[in-house]
Amino acid sequence: MTRLFIPKDAAALALGAEKVAAKVLAEAQARGVDVEIVRTGSRGMLFLEPLIEVETAEGRVGYGPVKASDVSSLFDAGLLNGGAHALGIGRVEDHPYLKRQTRLTFARCGIVDPVSLADYAALDGWKGLARAIEIGPAATIAEVTASGLRGRGGAGFPTGIKWKTVSEAPADRRYIVCNADEGDSGTFADRMIIEGDPFALIEGMAIAGVAVGATRGYVYCRSEYPHAIKTFNEAIAVARAAGYLGPNILGSGLAFDLEMRTGAGAYVCGEETALLDSLEGKRGIVRAKPPLPAHKGLFGRPTVINNVLSLVAVPHILAKGGEFYASFGMGRSRGTMPIQIAGNVRFGGLFETAFGLSLGEIVEDIGGGTRSGRPIRAVQCGGPLGAYLPVSQFDTPFDYEAFSKKDALIGHGGVVVFDDTVDMAQMARFAMEFCAIESCGKCTPCRIGSTRGVETVDRIRAGVKVEENIALLEDLCNTMKFGSLCALGGFAPYPVTSALRHFPEDFAPRHAIAAE
């Protein structure tokens, strides 16, 4: 029986993967051939989705992007033997987009059945958890610290230090919370992992539980991810039944269990303290710090809060050792980063690589430039609150410190490309409007400042006292940056000030309006 692999990742489904899978099955039945269709996650080459892979003696051969109407011709061309076809890409592992990557976090994604324990174990699954149990909490934290792993959700805080702080905080219980509230525009890595390799997140959270003495974990996911929620809940049930979760994980006598909670879609709940309030059944509003969540977090107990990508890196670190993971990257940015390339770009998708590639290599070489064929004008990194970088700064290495020097953010690894038709004043306005809509309202600089920001940009674009209003806008951004309670108001100025700095011509008067 021939095995075919067709993604059930949300991106592939949006492009017709369900119809393609149904057509493949129907065509096989009509031709009297036996096939097994394995529904996987995505490899991350979204420009090739839906991607069909067939298992051959030479490896998995791919075809994409496939429409349901292509299936008959694929069978005619010898799909089940890896035959030549216009949609053929050859051995999938040899595709240039994949071959250039360093896949640690996403090593299994797109390859395995997401809820198959056998598939997961066959590719080094559970080795990290077994080693964490073997070496104990202190040594586990030491490995994570030695790896140089930093928060992949945006803040870049050293994971090992956070875990050590929680482990040393006196408490009758501790918690592990995974922030899967992936709200940044142009990001999809968390969703891809949860849909394509959910056991990796379960294992990472269990390791964190062993390390800090927590017996309970929660994954906070956004309601806009129904496929991820369904897959993860299924994976939890499978892992629990097999003894990887529950009162006696891997027969160690240690207890750890977890559940997924779904948020209502508030962007501010990506901020860790607002997330905690939402988990507790309250309105998601930012808490003042201190106390830090590491000391007083969920239900007032010490809490590890990490992003999906941070926790999914942990099993690999424990299985291979902290020094192995730290051997990738540059400076204080160690390991790999799953970069999500989106926007007006030819080859959109996920590209995991060690820190250090230049922004130009990511956008022009790997991403292939703009889909429109027009020149690139700007790239926004780090989500809707990230800075806009012009082509003149494309030599900037993709690294926390290098970006910080440019007043920019790596954030969650999203890279959104714009061609030369973009209106940067309009994009600056959008940043302020987004902040105004998504603000929890607790602090004045964010709540009021963002609304005044929209009004000020509108006056500038209308030609009203342009120089005075630009000065006012810069002052307002400074107040929001240093006066806001959390990163929502604190980072909203980044796209505005970067647009003003790099694209001042877009803030010239559009209309001659008499001064008020």
Side-chain angles (χ1 to χ4, degrees):
M1 180 181 292
T2 303
R3 290 213 301 169
L4 296 164
F5 303 84
I6 302 175
K8 61 176 181 179
D9 175 270
L13 293 178
L15 292 165
E18 208 62 58
K19 291 180 179 178
V20 169
K23 181 65 175 176
V24 168
L25 184 59
E27 194 72 26
Q29 290 173 342
R31 295 175 185 241
V33 294
D34 290 330
V35 298
E36 177 191 357
I37 298 177
V38 180
R39 303 305 298 273
T40 65
S42 173
R43 297 263 196 169
M45 297 185 290
L46 302 185
F47 54 94
L48 289 176
E49 295 290 9
L51 174 67
I52 295 179
E53 299 180 34
V54 59
E55 194 171 63
T56 73
E58 289 74 38
R60 280 161 62 163
V61 175
Y63 302 85
V66 176
K67 300 188 295 291
S69 58
D70 298 318
V71 172
S72 293
S73 68
L74 282 168
F75 272 85
D76 291 340
L79 166 68
L80 303 186
N81 299 309
H85 188 276
L87 297 176
I89 63 169
R91 272 175 35 96
V92 180
E93 288 79 6
D94 292 337
H95 191 282
Y97 194 89
L98 272 183
K99 202 164 187 178
R100 288 188 59 179
Q101 297 186 43
T102 302
R103 287 218 157 184
L104 304 181
T105 302
F106 280 79
R108 286 176 291 264
C109 207
I111 297 175
V112 299
D113 175 344
V115 293
S116 167
L117 283 174
D119 281 8
Y120 186 69
L123 293 175
D124 295 332
W126 310 116
K127 288 184 177 180
L129 178 58
R131 183 161 181 259
I133 292 169
E134 177 189 348
I135 65 179
T140 297
I141 293 173
E143 287 283 16
V144 174
T145 303
S147 74
L149 178 66
R150 294 167 67 175
R152 298 292 191 252
F157 189 82
T159 304
I161 293 175
K162 181 180 288 188
W163 287 19
K164 189 171 190 293
T165 303
V166 172
S167 71
E168 294 175 348
D172 59 341
R173 68 181 71 93
R174 300 177 181 84
Y175 294 102
I176 309 297
V177 171
C178 172
N179 183 350
D181 192 63
E182 187 173 48
D184 284 353
S185 49
T187 61
F188 40 86
D190 291 358
R191 178 192 58 72
M192 277 184 58
I193 277 288
I194 295 172
E195 291 181 9
D197 193 15
F199 291 129
L201 178 56
I202 292 171
E203 184 178 8
M205 292 184 71
I207 292 169
V210 169
V212 306
T215 59
R216 191 76 184 172
Y218 296 89
V219 176
Y220 185 89
C221 189
R222 59 195 301 103
S223 59
E224 293 90 341
Y225 283 175
H227 303 290
I229 292 165
K230 181 178 182 293
T231 300
F232 195 72
N233 282 328
E234 186 177 346
I236 287 175
V238 171
R240 188 180 291 128
Y244 295 105
L245 291 172
N248 185 25
I249 58 174
L250 288 181
S252 64
L254 298 173
F256 186 78
D257 212 336
L258 60 86
E259 65 180 276
M260 174 168 272
R261 294 281 182 87
T262 305
Y267 183 80
V268 76
C269 286
E271 194 279 334
E272 59 183 12
T273 62
L275 184 156
L276 292 177
D277 267 15
S278 183
L279 265 180
E280 292 175 2
K282 306 169 187 174
R283 179 184 170 197
I285 297 179
V286 175
R287 300 176 184 177
K289 292 183 281 190
L292 296 170
H295 294 132
K296 190 176 180 181
L298 188 64
F299 307 124
R301 304 306 199 283
T303 303
V304 167
I305 307 178
N306 281 136
N307 167 263
V308 172
L309 299 182
S310 306
L311 289 162
V312 174
V314 167
H316 194 90
I317 290 168
L318 267 294
K320 294 289 185 73
E323 289 188 8
F324 174 81
Y325 190 80
S327 67
F328 299 93
M330 62 180 288
R332 291 180 53 225
S333 301
R334 311 311 309 174
T336 61
M337 185 71 190
I339 301 168
Q340 297 126 88
I341 308 171
N344 188 341
V345 67
R346 286 182 66 199
F347 304 128
L350 182 134
F351 191 95
E352 183 178 358
T353 185
F355 286 98
L357 284 182
S358 73
L359 185 58
E361 287 178 281
I362 294 167
V363 175
E364 297 177 322
D365 188 6
I366 296 162
T370 64
R371 185 175 177 84
S372 64
R374 299 184 65 89
I376 298 172
R377 189 173 189 217
V379 172
Q380 187 177 34
C381 301
L385 306 182
Y388 291 100
L389 297 177
V391 175
S392 61
Q393 294 189 347
F394 273 18
D395 59 345
T396 305
F398 202 80
D399 153 80
Y400 288 105
E401 278 65 45
F403 266 57
S404 181
K405 289 176 183 176
K406 304 288 187 182
D407 280 334
L409 309 164
I410 280 182
H412 187 42
V415 174
V416 180
V417 182
F418 298 85
D419 72 12
D420 62 353
T421 63
V422 67
D423 180 344
M424 297 307 299
Q426 176 61 30
M427 300 311 296
R429 185 191 190 280
F430 170 77
M432 285 296 188
E433 183 183 31
F434 180 86
C435 183
I437 292 169
E438 297 292 347
S439 175
C440 76
K442 186 164 185 176
C443 71
T444 303
C446 177
R447 182 184 71 249
I448 303 298
S450 53
T451 300
R452 296 291 87 85
V454 172
E455 296 167 355
T456 306
V457 174
D458 281 345
R459 286 197 296 271
I460 293 168
R461 299 182 77 227
V464 177
K465 299 182 179 179
V466 173
E467 291 186 6
E468 292 179 29
N469 277 305
I470 286 177
L472 177 62
L473 182 61
E474 290 173 339
D475 185 60
L476 179 63
C477 286
N478 190 62
T479 300
M480 291 178 66
K481 181 177 180 179
F482 294 105
S484 296
L485 194 56
C486 83
L488 176 55
F491 285 169
Y494 277 71
V496 180
T497 55
S498 60
L500 281 167
R501 182 184 311 119
H502 301 303
F503 308 98
E505 62 276 14
D506 284 21
F507 293 84
R510 300 302 169 101
H511 310 286
I513 294 181
E516 296 176 346

